[in-house]
Amino acid sequence: MSSVAVLTPESFAEHRSGLKDQEMTGCVPEDEAYIPTYLEAFPPLPEKGAPGEKTGEPASAWGGKIRPIKASVITQVFHVPLEERRYKDNSQFGEGEEAKVCLDIMQRTGAHIELSLAKDQGLSIMVTGKLESVMKARKEIVARLQTQASATVAIPKEHHRFVIGKNGEKLQELELKTATKIAIPRPDDPSANIRITGTKEGIEKARHEILLISAEQDKRAVERLCLEKAFHPFIAGAHNRLVQELSQETGARISIPPPSLPRDEIVITGEKEAVALALSRIRAIYDDKKRKTTTISVEVKKSQHKYIIGPKGNTLQEILETTGVSVEMPPLDSGSETIILRGEPDKLGPALTQVYAKAKSVMVVEVTAPAWLHRFIIGKKGQNIGRITQQLPRVHIEFTDGEERISLEGPTAEVEQAQAQIQEIIKDLLVRMDYTEVIIDQRFHRHLIGKNGVNINRIKEQYKVSVRIPQDSERSGLVRIEGDPKGVQLARRELIEMVQRMENERTKDLIVEQKLHRSIIGQKGEKIKEVRDKFPEVIINFPDPSQKSDIVQLRGPKNEVEKCGKFLQKIIADLIENSFSLSVPIFKQFHKNIIGKGGANIKKIREETNTKIDLPTENSNSEMIVITGKKSNCEAARDRILSIQRELANIKEAEVAIPARLHNSLIGSKGCLVRSIMEDCSGVHIHFPSEGSGSDKVTIRGPVGEVEKAKKQLLQLAEEKVGGGKKRLKNGYKDVVFLTISLPRCCGLPLQDDVVEDSMVVDVRHHRHFVCRRGQVLRELAEEYGGVAVSFPRTGANSQRVTLKGAKDCAEAAKKRIQEIVEDLESQVSVEVAIPQRYHRAIMGPKGCRIQLITREHEVQIKFPERDDSLEIGDPEAEFVAPKCDIITIAGRAEKCEPAKAALLALVPITEDVEVSYELHRYIIGQKGSGIRKMMEEYEVNIWVPQPEKQLDVIKVTGLVANMVRAKQGLLDRVKELQAEQADRALRSFKVILSVDPKFHPKIIGRKGAVISQIRKDHDVSIQFPDKGDEQQDAIVILGYERNVEEASQAIQQLVAEWQEMVSRDVHLDPRTHARIIGARGKAIRKLMEEFKVDIRFPQPGSDEPDKVAVTGLPEAVDNAIDHLLNLEEEYMLSVTETETLAAYMKPPSRYGGGGGAGVDDSSGGPAKGFVVLDAPWNAAGNKAPDMSSAEDFPTFGMGVAPKQASAWGPKKF
């Protein structure tokens, strides 16, 4: 039986390398594809024989180097001697601490652990699982089951980082591999000893690995050379060319600190020989320059230094390149003007000439121009000034806000040209432009601007002028008009006319119930549009429905506002008159007849009576038809509808006179009594007059027989009510009788024979006292005196006889009590108190609680007059000429009326003036009146603020004396708060306009506004950037406290200065390392940019220079970042090379030229022929090629398949 060999990637690579050595040259022509035979492509496996047995067959092409594939699950066995065991108690082996530890390790690592005890009492441990799980489990087993030893190994401090590796990966790998714990001292610890803890065997392995790493690093060298900073330019050379040449020649990396960094240390790294060679070359340059050079010092104005330095220091490099002289500049933040030139004596002269030439190559000139002309000089979107800067790009033009000067900076010749052009523009503008200033009260500014700027934009376009209206925060009334002289004057005249019209305006408030607002406005605003068209100069404002306000505001010319107000009041009166509503009960079956064919009947009634008639829906159980309109019209429509019903059915209508005082008792609780009658008499409707009407007429409508029946029951129920007897209610299928029995306090339970009827005389003028308020006094008498029924004559009968019916003793007691009440009424007086109507509501209090308290305490009656709404509500001091509206009547005993009058007068609010500056009124009122409402509710007073047009410095407070002190103090406290806020706002309104090149604006804003948000937060300021299309695109406005604004301005200027000093350099990095340098989602590159404070830009895909990476930042930071990037490239390239090498072995190109491994050449572009071999078994007669999708021909490892038939492959061997 043949043995089965298993391939691993390593053995396959070795096999392929062996085949490569056996080149098959000369057997296949170059222009033809080589087709192997079946035996060449699939050499037979060697037969398994006895050891040392030699077969006569030749060795196969597979060779003897094939190694088995490594399984994903591995097993490791190791032994722990008795002396190294941590737990030595064998009495409970398999149940003690060792078993618990192993169980815990198995759960944490996922590996399978088996323990066994050897004869020498040592512990044998077998760990099975995936490689990573086995390594972790082994490390924990050694740490927890085996006694630990420790040792130290000393290697140079600079080699420690190589033991740790990137992100500690090397150290973790070493600890897993050796099952030890390795402790490396911290960078700030001077010790070089590394401590290793673990088993003796593990310690030796770890020590060996660490020493190997250190030995590898010993081959490299690092030298730090301290040379005077002044000689660094000579070593670096112009544009760093000399140091780059040195690096290329020696192979060492040389790092020279940038000029801005005050360090004199030069670092050289690389192989020892390369470092030594570079070190000797640098020392030679330094010694040569130290011996030959000398220095001279010159004074140059500080403002000219930047021209000597040049952009990114290029000018200094040019001087060094052409003359070999180094120019040393003082720091920009230093006040020194001394410049030092260092070089050979014969070259200092030409260098000095160049320095002076560069310093004087730029001049600064100021051009005088009125500040208001600046934006016209700049032009719309910078057109004018843009033409100059395009022609003369090296000239910098700066406008200073509020100053009458323009600064020009650049080469002398170009500055002179720019100066001439700007002066020409100024001269032309002064001839054809003018401006004027108008003082307009700030309260009119928003009206001048109009809604969405419609008014001011019309003036600008019509007269071709620019109008500047100050913001509210500026507290200024100065309006500036600029443009064509004629247009300026016309615009000025129109603005003044608009202001005069507005000064003549008046504002009037109409009190209109909110429910009428929608009717006044009409559907889609049609009705109010008619009013506005009739009075076009009047602005009519309705309150928002959510405010629940009744005030409609009119604003416009005085006469027009009055006319409009009267017109609206007439509309309101008509609406109120037309809002009368009447309900008519009509049997459901007759509704369709009232509507008529196609709605003809109902439409005719509506048109002839001018009413609105609403019928219930067909599915509704309601029989009520609602008529709305004028009262007379509604009644006419009702009669028309009822007549239709009478014509259609035998309907009768009867009227019954029942005293109004009995109506409520006849109706019953929730209408239960009258409803029972209507249910008993089917089809009958009983209609009682409205409460308070005084009418005794009750209408009964329905079928003839049922109306009489209902009338009889109603009269019977009324008699029972008058007699105080029983009430009968038909409910369901049986009569329920309610019997009222009252036990008097004066006597015992009366017998039927003891009931008497008596009478007494009571003056007619006192009758109202007993029957008013639904007969409350009579009800009290009946309850107190055993249900005595007291009957007063009907109103208008002019009879003084009062009848009492009940038990004899109770009737006598009730009679006596009535006499007492009459005597009390006889002694009563009426006192009139004159209090203005506007205070009546305040005196009553919420739900009349204050008046109720006075009436209870003093036992009096207080009557308020009817309200007269025709009076205009306005100034609290306005005199009212309608005394009837002001008279309050107090009725009661004389001795009690006076205290009641005093109590009533005490409730009359007083009015006091509080001095409050007009400017603070709108802040006290608050948004939509919220502020003033809150104060009125808190102090229970009324606060009146004068109209804005009056500009009075007073606020009137009206309320009770007790509340006035608190209200005034609260108002004054609020004034103090507002004055403090006003002062604070003034301090916060300090403004600075900073001119910054627009190219720096995105950087100042930062990513998602991070930078500018931080500046705003740190300095508590508001920073505004120009909008697109603004004339001054470089202006940044900063608002806030003066100190904060200055600090924020300095912070922005400092950022801009730093960005101006920044340089951009390119570094070439292998594109294969870009992805690793950038990291997942750019995390690594962002961290690198934050660490070095630089910006790093990688090339876009498809770039011409895919290895070019741009680094931008301060010179020193850029150099450091580039060094770090090169280090990363070197580190990553090792990994890349290793990966590519492995990939080349794992997937080598085909020996036969095909891209797929073992097929014919497909370079012609024709269809692929697949894998072709000669003399294959399936090519023989009667055989066919194997089916690659068949599990039988290509079985899966470990799964047996029953053979169906013999195949060309021969017998199966599994």
Side-chain angles (χ1 to χ4, degrees):
M1 183 177 179
S2 300
S3 62
V4 178
V6 186
L7 283 177
T8 64
E10 295 86 350
S11 61
F12 186 67
E14 291 173 6
H15 168 64
R16 293 301 300 265
S17 62
L19 292 178
K20 283 181 183 179
D21 296 337
Q22 303 171 15
E23 293 293 339
M24 303 170 73
T25 57
C27 22
V28 181
E30 291 182 1
D31 57 345
E32 294 182 11
Y34 174 73
I35 301 177
T37 64
Y38 178 78
L39 289 176
E40 288 175 338
F42 300 98
L45 296 173
E47 289 293 334
K48 187 175 181 182
E53 182 185 351
K54 292 184 180 180
T55 62
E57 298 176 2
S60 71
W62 292 94
K65 298 183 179 179
I66 297 177
R67 293 193 296 267
I69 294 174
K70 293 181 180 177
S72 60
V73 177
I74 66 167
T75 300
Q76 280 196 7
V77 179
F78 54 96
H79 187 72
V80 180
L82 174 63
E83 60 272 13
E84 293 183 12
R85 282 178 60 187
R86 179 162 292 180
Y87 307 101
K88 298 180 181 179
D89 185 9
N90 296 329
S91 58
Q92 295 181 341
F93 181 74
E95 299 178 1
E97 288 298 324
E98 288 174 338
K100 292 179 181 177
V101 169
C102 288
L103 186 62
D104 180 48
I105 294 171
M106 286 166 63
Q107 290 175 348
R108 291 172 59 182
T109 62
H112 180 70
I113 303 172
E114 292 184 12
L115 298 180
S116 62
L117 198 64
K119 291 182 179 179
D120 60 357
Q121 299 302 307
L123 198 63
S124 293
I125 303 168
M126 183 172 70
V127 186
T128 305
K130 293 185 178 180
L131 179 62
E132 185 181 357
S133 300
V134 170
M135 298 301 287
K136 287 182 180 178
R138 181 185 172 189
K139 181 182 176 183
E140 287 207 32
I141 289 169
V142 168
R144 296 172 68 177
L145 295 184
Q146 196 167 358
T147 55
Q148 303 290 295
S150 63
T152 58
V153 58
I155 62 172
K157 189 79 173 177
E158 56 269 21
H159 295 175
H160 286 191
R161 65 190 181 95
F162 299 104
V163 177
I164 296 170
K166 185 183 178 183
N167 298 327
E169 292 175 358
K170 184 73 175 175
L171 182 62
Q172 291 174 11
E173 182 186 349
L174 195 58
E175 287 182 337
L176 276 176
K177 186 177 178 181
T178 60
T180 58
K181 177 68 177 174
I182 302 172
I184 297 176
R186 296 176 61 83
D188 53 358
D189 189 344
S191 173
N193 291 334
I194 297 175
R195 187 173 189 82
I196 310 168
T197 306
T199 62
K200 291 180 181 179
E201 181 185 357
I203 289 171
E204 288 301 321
K205 287 181 180 178
R207 185 173 180 278
H208 176 70
E209 292 290 339
I210 291 170
L211 290 175
L212 280 179
I213 293 169
S214 179
E216 186 180 347
Q217 294 304 318
D218 278 335
K219 297 176 183 178
R220 298 180 62 82
V222 178
E223 286 289 344
R224 301 179 186 276
L225 189 61
C226 291
L227 302 176
E228 291 179 52
K229 183 78 175 176
F231 293 95
H232 286 193
F234 298 110
I235 298 168
H239 304 288
N240 288 326
R241 290 197 190 104
L242 184 55
V243 75
Q244 289 173 6
E245 290 173 5
L246 274 175
S247 293
Q248 290 174 1
E249 290 176 12
T250 62
R253 179 176 294 177
I254 303 168
S255 176
I256 299 175
S260 59
L261 194 64
R263 287 169 53 189
D264 57 4
E265 186 180 67
I266 297 174
V267 181
I268 311 166
T269 57
E271 298 292 335
K272 288 186 176 180
E273 292 180 2
V275 169
L277 181 58
L279 184 63
S280 63
R281 294 282 296 277
I282 290 171
R283 281 197 177 278
I285 294 169
Y286 172 73
D287 293 339
D288 180 60
K289 293 298 179 183
K290 182 84 172 173
R291 185 176 65 258
K292 292 181 179 180
T293 58
T294 183
T295 61
I296 59 170
S297 300
V298 292
E299 297 290 328
V300 178
K301 285 185 180 179
K302 191 74 178 178
S303 60
Q304 304 297 108
H305 284 198
K306 57 183 177 180
Y307 309 124
I308 298 172
I309 297 170
K312 300 180 182 179
N314 285 340
T315 305
L316 295 178
Q317 297 297 326
E318 288 173 10
I319 296 172
L320 179 61
E321 186 175 17
T322 55
T323 64
V325 174
S326 169
V327 182
E328 300 170 17
M329 305 295 296
L332 292 175
D333 55 356
S334 167
S336 173
E337 295 184 343
T338 304
I339 298 174
I340 299 172
L341 281 73
R342 188 183 302 273
E344 297 178 12
D346 57 334
K347 296 179 181 178
L348 289 174
L352 185 60
T353 303
Q354 285 194 36
V355 168
Y356 278 123
K358 295 293 183 183
K360 294 178 180 179
S361 62
V362 177
M363 69 178 295
V364 179
V365 173
E366 289 186 355
V367 178
T368 303
W372 67 273
L373 267 185
H374 285 190
R375 58 196 190 89
F376 297 105
I377 296 169
I378 294 168
K380 191 175 182 181
K381 296 184 179 180
Q383 288 178 352
N384 296 343
I385 211 69
R387 283 195 295 269
I388 298 173
T389 53
Q390 285 174 5
Q391 294 172 9
L392 309 167
R394 292 192 292 174
V395 177
H396 175 69
I397 304 171
E398 183 177 351
F399 291 81
T400 307
D401 188 32
E403 295 185 13
E404 298 189 346
R405 62 186 179 87
I406 303 169
S407 299
L408 286 78
E409 181 181 337
T412 306
E414 294 187 9
V415 166
E416 289 175 352
Q417 291 180 43
Q419 183 181 8
Q421 291 183 32
I422 289 175
Q423 286 175 339
E424 188 67 27
I425 293 172
I426 293 168
K427 185 178 178 182
D428 176 61
L429 288 172
L430 288 172
V431 170
R432 60 185 181 84
M433 298 290 287
D434 193 11
Y435 80 95
T436 186
E437 293 178 342
V438 188
I439 302 294
I440 297 175
D441 197 309
Q442 195 175 3
R443 61 196 170 96
F444 298 129
H445 287 184
R446 62 190 182 92
H447 303 296
L448 292 178
I449 295 168
K451 190 174 183 181
N452 297 326
V454 65
N455 294 343
I456 203 68
N457 289 336
R458 178 185 58 77
I459 292 172
K460 287 179 180 179
E461 292 174 6
Q462 185 175 346
Y463 302 115
K464 307 298 180 187
V465 294
S466 171
V467 183
R468 185 190 177 278
I469 298 176
Q471 295 180 356
D472 292 344
S473 58
E474 296 181 24
R475 301 284 182 182
S476 171
L478 187 68
V479 177
R480 188 183 183 94
I481 311 169
E482 301 166 352
D484 178 72
K486 186 178 179 181
V488 166
Q489 294 305 318
L490 291 172
R492 181 179 184 275
R493 187 176 6 171
E494 181 164 346
L495 286 176
I496 291 172
E497 288 175 358
M498 289 174 69
V499 171
Q500 288 173 349
R501 283 200 304 272
M502 284 187 282
E503 285 177 341
N504 190 38
E505 281 186 351
R506 185 194 169 198
T507 301
K508 182 177 182 179
D509 290 345
L510 290 180
I511 308 298
V512 182
E513 288 186 54
Q514 193 178 29
K515 65 181 181 181
L516 298 177
H517 290 185
R518 184 175 292 179
S519 303
I520 296 170
I521 294 168
Q523 191 173 9
K524 296 182 179 179
E526 291 175 357
K527 292 184 179 179
I528 198 65
K529 186 176 183 296
E530 293 174 6
V531 179
R532 284 171 174 156
D533 291 342
K534 189 171 183 178
F535 302 98
E537 296 182 10
V538 179
I539 298 171
I540 306 171
N541 290 324
F542 285 85
D544 191 90
S546 61
Q547 294 180 9
K548 297 184 178 179
S549 172
D550 295 339
I551 297 174
V552 177
Q553 192 179 71
L554 310 180
R555 183 165 58 81
K558 186 176 180 180
N559 295 333
E560 292 295 310
V561 166
E562 291 296 333
K563 291 178 184 177
C564 184
K566 289 178 181 177
F567 185 77
L568 282 174
Q569 284 175 342
K570 185 180 178 183
I571 292 174
I572 294 163
D574 290 343
L575 285 172
I576 293 171
E577 186 180 0
N578 290 325
S579 62
F580 180 79
S581 182
L582 197 65
S583 296
V584 185
I586 299 295
F587 292 111
K588 192 79 175 179
Q589 62 265 31
F590 299 135
H591 283 197
K592 61 182 178 180
N593 305 98
I594 290 167
I595 295 169
K597 189 175 182 180
N601 292 347
I602 197 73
K603 194 179 294 182
K604 185 178 179 183
I605 296 171
R606 283 170 178 164
E607 290 173 356
E608 291 179 359
T609 60
N610 192 24
T611 56
K612 179 186 176 186
I613 303 174
D614 295 320
L615 284 86
T617 59
E618 194 173 339
N619 299 328
S620 172
N621 294 324
S622 173
E623 295 183 341
M624 289 294 180
I625 295 177
V626 181
I627 308 171
T628 308
K630 289 184 179 180
K631 186 176 180 181
S632 58
N633 294 346
C634 289
E635 289 173 349
R638 180 189 62 184
D639 294 341
R640 294 275 297 272
I641 292 171
L642 289 173
S643 67
I644 294 172
Q645 182 179 242
R646 279 195 295 271
E647 290 172 5
L648 294 170
N650 185 19
I651 301 299
K652 179 184 177 182
E653 184 177 294
E655 292 182 352
V656 184
I658 297 175
R661 60 190 176 83
L662 297 178
H663 288 184
N664 283 341
S665 58
L666 291 177
I667 293 168
S669 176
K670 298 181 180 180
C672 63
L673 296 180
V674 75
R675 197 162 55 245
S676 72
I677 295 173
M678 288 192 292
E679 288 173 1
D680 192 25
C681 307
S682 60
V684 169
H685 288 282
I686 302 174
H687 177 70
F688 285 84
S690 58
E691 189 176 343
S693 65
S695 173
D696 294 341
K697 186 172 68 173
V698 179
T699 305
I700 307 172
R701 186 183 299 112
V704 178
E706 299 297 327
V707 166
E708 291 299 326
K709 184 179 177 183
K711 181 178 179 182
K712 185 178 179 181
Q713 288 190 22
L714 197 63
L715 289 171
Q716 184 181 354
L717 185 61
E719 288 175 5
E720 290 175 358
K721 288 292 179 183
V722 171
K726 55 188 177 180
K727 298 176 286 184
R728 184 175 303 276
L729 173 66
K730 185 175 179 61
N731 184 10
Y733 298 100
K734 57 184 180 179
D735 290 344
V736 181
V737 178
F738 296 93
L739 186 63
T740 304
I741 302 175
S742 302
L743 296 177
R745 293 182 299 178
C746 59
C747 56
L749 184 67
L751 299 173
Q752 182 65 30
D753 297 338
D754 197 29
V755 174
V756 297
E757 186 174 334
D758 198 358
S759 64
M760 63 183 296
V761 175
V762 177
D763 197 322
V764 175
R765 60 195 173 91
H766 299 314
H767 288 193
R768 178 174 172 75
H769 174 78
F770 289 94
V771 299
C772 69
R773 289 177 293 171
R774 300 180 184 177
Q776 183 179 346
V777 176
L778 295 178
R779 285 201 302 272
E780 289 174 357
L781 286 170
E783 289 173 3
E784 189 173 357
Y785 298 104
V788 172
V790 181
S791 299
F792 279 78
R794 293 173 61 179
T795 306
N798 292 324
S799 172
Q800 297 182 354
R801 186 170 178 273
V802 177
T803 305
L804 294 87
K805 186 178 180 180
K808 183 177 180 181
D809 293 342
C810 294
E812 290 295 331
K815 185 175 180 181
K816 186 178 179 181
R817 175 60 184 151
I818 290 172
Q819 288 172 346
E820 289 175 359
I821 292 172
V822 169
E823 289 173 5
D824 190 47
L825 293 171
E826 291 286 351
S827 64
Q828 282 188 357
V829 297
S830 292
V831 177
E832 293 183 347
V833 185
I835 297 174
Q837 180 180 328
R838 63 177 180 272
Y839 299 136
H840 288 186
R841 184 175 293 178
I843 292 170
M844 289 179 186
K847 298 182 180 179
C849 62
R850 293 174 182 166
I851 290 300
Q852 291 170 11
L853 183 64
I854 294 174
T855 55
R856 282 199 303 270
E857 286 182 358
H858 301 285
E859 298 179 358
V860 295
Q861 299 295 322
I862 300 174
K863 181 182 178 182
F864 281 81
E866 293 293 329
R867 184 176 182 83
D868 188 353
D869 291 329
S870 63
L871 293 177
E872 185 179 356
I873 299 172
D875 191 338
E877 290 188 350
E879 295 183 2
F880 290 81
V881 291
K884 288 183 180 179
C885 300
D886 297 344
I887 301 300
I888 300 173
T889 305
I890 305 173
R893 290 182 176 274
E895 63 271 16
K896 293 186 178 181
C897 285
E898 288 303 322
K901 179 180 178 181
L904 205 60
L905 290 171
L907 293 176
V908 176
I910 61 170
T911 301
E912 291 189 17
D913 293 346
V914 181
E915 261 193 54
V916 179
S917 174
Y918 158 72
E919 295 177 351
L920 299 177
H921 287 189
R922 62 194 182 102
Y923 300 110
I924 289 172
I925 293 170
Q927 189 176 13
K928 296 182 180 179
S930 60
I932 201 165
R933 276 200 305 273
K934 183 181 177 184
M935 293 181 69
M936 288 165 65
E937 290 170 3
E938 183 178 352
Y939 302 116
E940 297 181 8
V941 295
N942 182 46
I943 300 174
W944 182 80
V945 181
Q947 296 294 334
E949 301 84 38
K950 297 181 181 179
Q951 297 190 5
L952 299 176
D953 292 336
V954 68
I955 289 179
K956 295 183 182 297
V957 184
T958 304
L960 301 180
V961 178
N963 298 336
M964 286 296 290
V965 177
R966 290 171 46 245
K968 284 175 63 179
Q969 187 60 45
L971 188 59
L972 292 172
D973 290 344
R974 178 61 180 152
V975 169
K976 288 179 183 177
E977 289 177 15
L978 291 172
Q979 287 172 342
E981 290 175 9
Q982 202 173 34
D984 185 63
R985 276 197 299 273
L987 292 174
R988 288 182 68 91
S989 62
F990 182 77
K991 181 171 76 172
V992 166
I993 298 177
L994 198 62
S995 180
V996 178
D997 194 321
K999 69 181 182 182
F1000 293 121
H1001 289 190
K1003 292 188 177 182
I1004 295 171
I1005 294 169
R1007 190 180 181 201
K1008 295 183 180 179
V1011 177
I1012 199 66
S1013 298
Q1014 191 63 40
I1015 294 174
R1016 286 171 177 152
K1017 182 179 177 183
D1018 292 345
H1019 303 287
D1020 189 23
V1021 293
S1022 170
I1023 303 175
Q1024 300 168 358
F1025 286 83
D1027 295 327
K1028 288 183 179 178
D1030 284 359
E1031 294 179 0
Q1032 296 181 339
Q1033 284 294 308
D1034 61 341
I1036 298 176
V1037 181
I1038 308 175
L1039 284 167
Y1041 294 113
E1042 183 175 359
R1043 180 180 175 185
N1044 294 354
V1045 168
E1046 293 295 339
E1047 289 176 355
S1049 176
Q1050 290 174 9
I1052 292 174
Q1053 288 173 340
Q1054 186 177 351
L1055 286 174
V1056 173
E1058 288 177 2
W1059 289 326
Q1060 286 175 336
E1061 291 177 10
M1062 286 184 178
V1063 297
S1064 182
R1065 294 180 187 168
D1066 296 335
V1067 59
H1068 294 277
L1069 303 176
D1070 194 299
R1072 292 173 293 178
T1073 64
H1074 289 188
R1076 291 196 63 183
I1077 293 172
I1078 293 169
R1081 297 184 181 178
K1083 186 177 180 181
I1085 198 66
R1086 280 199 300 273
K1087 184 178 179 183
L1088 197 150
M1089 289 193 289
E1090 289 172 6
E1091 182 180 350
F1092 289 96
K1093 309 297 183 191
V1094 294
D1095 183 59
I1096 301 173
R1097 298 291 173 188
F1098 284 82
Q1100 294 294 330
S1103 172
D1104 295 336
E1105 295 180 287
D1107 61 342
K1108 182 177 167 183
V1109 178
V1111 185
T1112 306
L1114 295 175
E1116 178 192 357
V1118 169
D1119 290 339
N1120 292 338
I1122 288 174
D1123 287 346
H1124 186 75
L1125 287 172
L1126 292 171
N1127 285 335
L1128 288 177
E1129 181 199 27
E1130 183 180 348
E1131 179 182 340
Y1132 294 154
M1133 278 305 296
L1134 292 173
S1135 176
V1136 169
T1137 308
E1138 192 176 305
T1139 303
E1140 289 182 349
T1141 304
L1142 181 59
Y1145 281 112
M1146 293 298 292
K1147 295 181 181 179
S1150 173
R1151 173 163 73 95
Y1152 304 109
V1160 296
D1161 190 3
D1162 196 25
S1163 59
S1164 63
K1169 297 179 181 179
F1171 185 79
V1172 180
V1173 294
L1174 299 175
D1175 302 331
W1178 55 80
N1179 290 337
N1183 290 335
K1184 62 177 182 178
D1187 182 6
M1188 298 184 68
S1189 62
S1190 168
E1192 180 188 354
D1193 292 340
F1194 291 92
T1196 304
F1197 284 114
M1199 294 178 63
V1201 179
K1204 294 181 181 178
Q1205 61 181 13
S1207 74
W1209 294 87
K1212 305 290 191 295
K1213 297 179 180 180
F1214 294 105

